[in-house]
Amino acid sequence: MEFHKIANIHNYEPLIGSEAVDRILSKAHRLNDLHIVHINSTFYGGGVSEILSSLTLLMNSLGIKTGWRVISGSPDFFAITKKMHNALQGSDYHFTRRKVQVFEEVIHENAIRMHLNHDMVVVHDPQPLPIVAHNRKRGPWIWRCHLQLHDPHPQLWEYLQNYIQMYDAVIMSLPEYRQKLNTPQVFFMPAIDPFSQKNRELSDPEIDERLSHYNIPVDLPILVQISRFDRWKDPEGVIQAFKIARKEMPCTLVLLGSMATDDPEGAQIYESLLKCQEERLLILSSQDSALVNALQRRAAVVLQKSLREGFGLTVAEAMLKGTPVIGGRVGGIPHQIDDNVNGFLVSSPEEAAARIVQLLKDDRLREEMGRKARDSVLKSFLLSRLVEQYLDLFSSFRS
Ligand code: UDP
């Protein structure tokens, strides 16, 4: 009974209509003999775990047995995979035998423990990629890459391709991330769960309670960026923009980040940010979905000033809440923000500062952009759309 309260496609009826719900139900019905598993590298922290926690529940509620497994690894393994992650998004990379050995051994060990005998397997991002080599396939294996894959490091990409070509399909977030591959590629933009703790409606007293719990002052307009502590999220650029903007419009900046178990750089970046002492700058590290929700709702402006961003769930999360977002003009962000219409796109701290000031000065603009932002998320970025894309992909392997 309780389960159906957690995730149920019928909850989406007021948002997407009963016809769409019936269509999804009938597509799912044709696949209800399947046992599927998703594999990634962390249960919390970051967009992939966010999507999987809701997607796997919704799939189960549709009658498709869907599991979620997380690979385990030592800090040196995750240090190596974080370097790979960075190199796939354009950083330099020093390719060594040691890195390859650790990477392959840890995944082989995980494969031994996992006993994967599912009808379909979906592997997320590069960390667990080689696991395909250690299993006898009982059905299609799909590699889902969430990164901004404009310019992957050539030598690393060539190496990873040995594994990618063992998969039956590759999913990327955008057509512009397409690579030269023999494996068929499809493109699914990520999506958010409007009923999760992070996105559900909150009352004003609930918002007040979360903000006061963390001693976040509410006397001035609040600017917020919520991101793992990662240099691609450009927290320094956000602080710089805040310093410029507050000279003209007094405000408070909250940088909220959580640590993910597969991201060993987070703690280091958090420590270095703490050295930036600035009045009305709060840097918080906490994994608290209700706080994320409260901040995205109460903020006058949300920033996501990334330098690389495969998609950027935090953009859609804030837009759903009717809060205008200033986002970096990179990766998946321009696919969510229509510049000057439902938010702003920027390429520098100075540009971000100018947009912050413009929005803080103009209540009507904030309200109008926020309304359009919410409408666009309801139209394009709900989890029900992503679930249907997965169902269509799974069906395509049967015909
Ligand atoms: N997030 C969170 N708490 C934090 C920072 C991030 O819950 O302190 C969540 C955020 O709300 C979003 C996800 O982590 O759901 C980040 O996804 P996104 O696609 O924005 O970035 P990624 O971390 O995957 O690069």
Side-chain angles (χ1 to χ4, degrees):
M1 283 301 271
E2 196 56 30
F3 176 77
H4 288 280
K5 270 196 208 157
I6 296 174
N8 189 331
I9 195 67
H10 290 290
N11 294 339
Y12 285 80
E13 231 166 81
L15 305 176
I16 62 174
S18 55
E19 227 174 90
V21 168
D22 289 346
R23 192 178 62 236
I24 292 170
L25 280 166
S26 84
K27 286 180 180 182
H29 186 67
R30 279 179 250 134
L31 297 169
N32 68 6
D33 56 325
L34 286 180
H35 186 197
I36 292 170
V37 66
H38 290 261
I39 302 170
N40 81 321
S41 55
T42 179
F43 266 124
Y44 66 88
V48 180
S49 54
E50 185 68 25
I51 293 170
L52 287 181
S53 67
S54 292
L55 177 77
T56 49
L57 289 175
L58 194 54
M59 283 286 187
N60 278 288
S61 83
L62 286 166
I64 301 175
K65 284 205 270 335
T66 304
W68 175 13
R69 305 275 188 88
V70 174
I71 55 164
S72 51
S74 54
D76 57 336
F77 169 78
F78 287 117
I80 290 167
T81 56
K82 184 69 204 281
K83 285 197 177 86
M84 287 183 175
H85 169 113
N86 289 339
L88 291 174
Q89 299 205 121
S91 286
D92 214 6
Y93 184 71
H94 186 48
F95 202 90
T96 64
R97 265 176 76 91
R98 184 193 68 88
K99 283 184 191 149
V100 168
Q101 228 168 33
V102 174
F103 179 54
E104 293 183 350
E105 267 174 30
V106 171
I107 295 304
H108 191 171
E109 290 163 9
N110 274 275
I112 292 169
R113 285 185 212 108
M114 278 192 186
H115 310 124
L116 299 171
N117 58 356
H118 300 70
D119 302 309
M120 293 192 192
V121 182
V122 188
V123 173
H124 294 257
D125 279 345
Q127 298 92 334
L129 179 74
I131 201 160
V132 66
H134 303 290
N135 285 278
R136 206 159 54 82
K137 284 191 192 172
R138 292 197 49 219
W141 280 57
I142 298 159
W143 185 52
R144 199 317 179 197
C145 180
H146 295 263
L147 304 182
Q148 180 180 335
L149 264 194
H150 274 134
D151 190 18
H153 186 278
Q155 196 187 0
L156 176 62
W157 184 250
E158 200 182 307
Y159 161 71
L160 294 178
Q161 265 191 51
N162 296 323
Y163 293 110
I164 298 170
Q165 69 190 12
M166 295 180 195
Y167 286 80
D168 300 281
V170 170
I171 308 173
M172 294 188 187
S173 294
L174 300 172
E176 62 224 50
Y177 302 160
R178 183 189 285 281
Q179 300 293 317
K180 274 202 200 109
L181 289 173
N182 293 327
T183 316
Q185 295 168 71
V186 293
F187 304 95
F188 297 175
M189 274 202 263
I192 59 172
D193 175 354
F195 308 109
S196 65
Q197 279 297 335
K198 185 167 292 174
N199 295 320
R200 73 175 179 89
E201 295 291 334
L202 287 183
S203 65
D204 278 334
E206 283 175 311
I207 297 174
D208 292 339
E209 185 279 326
R210 273 302 79 189
L211 299 187
S212 87
H213 183 83
Y214 288 90
N215 296 320
I216 295 170
V218 292
D219 53 334
L220 291 178
I222 300 174
L223 312 177
V224 171
Q225 177 159 297
I226 295 165
S227 284
R228 286 179 299 104
F229 292 109
D230 181 316
R231 64 199 159 90
W232 298 124
K233 310 288 183 181
D234 197 19
E236 286 93 356
V238 173
I239 295 173
Q240 212 181 322
F242 163 66
K243 284 188 187 169
I244 303 170
R246 66 182 297 209
K247 288 185 192 145
E248 211 172 318
M249 287 298 288
C251 49
T252 299
L253 172 63
V254 181
L255 291 180
L256 171 64
S258 56
M259 305 293 171
T261 50
D262 63 347
D263 183 357
E265 289 175 358
Q268 218 177 317
I269 292 176
Y270 173 64
E271 295 297 327
S272 76
L273 285 174
L274 288 181
K275 293 186 191 126
C276 306
Q277 297 285 339
E278 178 75 20
E279 205 192 323
R280 294 227 164 233
L281 165 62
L282 277 84
I283 302 174
L284 304 176
S285 171
S286 169
Q287 181 63 42
D288 181 342
S289 297
L291 175 63
V292 172
N293 193 342
L295 278 170
Q296 288 170 334
R297 285 181 190 278
R298 182 57 59 80
V301 176
V302 163
L303 289 125
Q304 192 54 60
K305 218 203 93 26
S306 306
L307 304 172
R308 296 279 193 286
E309 194 65 78
F311 177 72
L313 285 183
T314 49
V315 174
E317 288 164 4
M319 289 173 76
L320 176 75
K321 292 157 188 133
T323 305
V325 181
I326 300 174
R329 195 179 270 108
V330 291
I333 297 179
H335 291 261
Q336 300 178 72
I337 297 178
D338 189 359
D339 192 21
N340 262 304
V341 177
N342 60 12
F344 286 118
L345 294 172
V346 296
S347 303
S348 67
E350 293 75 18
E351 244 187 289
R355 293 309 194 184
I356 292 170
V357 170
Q358 183 183 355
L359 281 164
L360 292 186
K361 279 185 174 166
D362 191 340
D363 294 353
R364 261 191 53 191
L365 178 66
R366 284 209 309 279
E367 200 184 306
E368 201 183 304
M369 280 194 158
R371 191 172 34 76
K372 289 181 183 160
R374 178 172 167 78
D375 289 348
S376 68
V377 174
L378 290 176
K379 188 165 156 250
S380 307
F381 299 116
L382 295 182
L383 193 63
S384 43
R385 185 263 301 152
L386 182 61
V387 160
E388 192 169 1
Q389 285 178 305
Y390 268 109
L391 295 176
D392 289 341
L393 178 65
F394 296 156
S395 292
S396 73
F397 288 110
R398 299 199 130 178
S399 44

